């Protein structure tokens, strides 16, 4: 069935105009953006298949080549889908830039979408000013944390350059288990001592997963 064959009250565009974007489900919202389907498949069916195969979270990260395996999705539509999520990511980053950090939850929300490849561990350092606002962040290392490989100068040289008042360490566990390892604890202890010498306080070390986090400070491991 074509979109034009639907009852006007059932057409996504008409419902959007009458009731607003919140009245549409994800497939219908995507259909508004992609606009037209193929000769044998209307755009809502195509979008239903996209959501069924990927879900919204995986759809945001799907390669163009994978998107084009869905019926009715060519290169142009695959690029439109990728562009939607990239714009959303940039809006999120803009809202979170210069964010004030009051808790590990704030760190978790700040880091959302900032890890380039979540199949690998990344160690980040967040530079904070005297009001606990993020000045900037940097990736210090990629790969499993190892106390013998993480030298304090690699963490603190950028903090000194940025005249940071304090820092927060953040790293991800690809497994999703945010319980810190012995190496995580060793690295934290070494960097806390180095920060005390440099008078740049290590406020927290936050281990992040997909949906949760572990805070060294909130668990009393940085006192």
């Amino acid at each position: 069935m074509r979109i034009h064959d639907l009852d006007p009250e059932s057409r996504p565009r008409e419902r959007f105009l009458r009731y607003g974007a919140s009245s549409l489900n994800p497939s219908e919202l995507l259909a508004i953006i992609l606009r037209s389907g193929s000769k044998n498949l209307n755009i809502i069916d195509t979008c239903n298949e996209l959501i069924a195969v990927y879900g919204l979270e995986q759809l945001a990260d799907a390669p163009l080549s994978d998107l084009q395996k869905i019926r009715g999705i060519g290169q142009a539509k695959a690029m439109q889908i990728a562009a939607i999520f990239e714009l959303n990511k940039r809006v999120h980053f803009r809202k979170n830039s210069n964010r004030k950090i009051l808790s590990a939850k704030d760190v978790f929300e700040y880091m959302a979408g900032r890890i380039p490849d979540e199949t690998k561990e990344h160690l980040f350092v967040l530079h904070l000013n005297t009001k606990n606002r993020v000045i900037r962040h940097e990736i210090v290392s990629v790969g499993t944390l190892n106390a013998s490989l993480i030298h304090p100068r690699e963490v603190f040289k950028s903090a000194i350059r940025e005249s940071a008042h304090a820092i927060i360490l953040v790293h991800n566990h690809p497994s999703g288990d945010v319980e810190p390892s012995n190496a995580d604890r060793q690295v934290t202890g070494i960097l806390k001592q180095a920060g005390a010498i440099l008078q740049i306080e290590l406020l927290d070390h936050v281990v992040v997963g997909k949906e949760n986090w572990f805070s060294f400070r909130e668990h009393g491991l940085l006192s």
Side-chain angles (χ1 to χ4, degrees):
M1 180 182 290
R2 298 177 304 168
I3 296 292
H4 291 294
D5 294 331
L6 293 172
D7 184 280
E9 288 291 320
S10 300
R11 297 174 191 168
R13 188 172 301 177
E14 281 75 1
R15 286 182 29 237
F16 187 108
L17 291 172
R18 180 168 293 187
Y19 304 113
S22 61
S23 67
L24 275 60
N25 64 36
S27 297
E28 292 170 330
L29 287 170
L30 193 53
I32 290 286
I33 294 163
L34 299 183
R35 298 183 59 188
S36 59
S38 60
K39 182 178 179 180
N40 299 316
L41 196 67
N42 74 45
I43 192 60
I44 292 181
D45 289 338
T46 296
C47 293
N48 278 330
E49 186 171 347
L50 274 167
I51 301 296
V53 170
Y54 292 104
L56 282 177
E57 287 188 9
Q58 290 185 350
L59 186 60
D61 299 318
L64 297 183
S65 57
D66 287 355
L67 293 174
Q68 291 177 73
K69 295 175 183 177
I70 301 295
R71 295 178 302 161
I73 300 296
Q75 186 181 65
K77 282 186 168 57
M79 290 171 65
Q80 283 177 273
I81 294 167
I84 296 162
F85 288 107
E86 180 61 26
L87 279 172
N88 182 64
K89 189 183 295 183
R90 294 187 189 189
V91 169
H92 172 81
F93 289 169
R94 181 64 61 88
K95 286 181 177 179
N96 279 282
S97 63
N98 200 31
R99 178 167 185 159
K100 189 170 186 178
I101 302 296
L102 299 175
S103 67
K105 180 183 178 183
D106 293 331
V107 175
F108 177 77
E109 292 176 352
Y110 176 85
M111 291 304 301
R114 296 183 189 271
I115 300 170
D117 180 358
E118 294 189 0
T119 65
K120 300 176 182 177
E121 284 194 21
H122 293 72
L123 176 64
F124 289 78
V125 58
L126 309 187
H127 306 118
L128 278 65
N129 63 18
T130 55
K131 295 183 179 180
N132 277 17
R133 293 190 181 278
V134 179
I135 303 169
R136 63 172 295 167
H137 68 268
E138 286 198 7
I139 297 176
V140 177
S141 70
V142 179
T144 303
L145 286 196
N146 187 320
S148 65
L149 300 178
I150 304 297
H151 196 284
R153 68 170 170 264
E154 300 302 320
V155 174
F156 284 98
K157 69 179 179 181
S158 58
I160 293 169
R161 185 180 66 241
E162 298 295 333
S163 298
H165 174 71
I167 64 168
I168 293 176
L169 296 178
V170 188
H171 84 278
N172 64 305
H173 279 180
S175 67
D177 180 2
V178 296
E179 186 68 25
S181 66
N182 288 333
D184 297 341
R185 295 170 188 268
Q186 287 180 325
V187 167
T188 304
I190 292 169
L191 295 177
K192 180 174 174 57
Q193 291 176 17
I197 294 170
L198 294 169
Q199 296 185 330
I200 300 175
E201 185 181 1
L202 174 60
L203 288 183
D204 203 350
H205 182 178
V206 181
V207 184
V208 298
K210 277 282 189 182
E211 299 178 354
N212 55 353
W213 63 88
F214 180 97
S215 162
F216 275 70
R217 177 166 293 279
E218 292 175 4
H219 282 79
L221 300 178
L222 270 178
S223 55

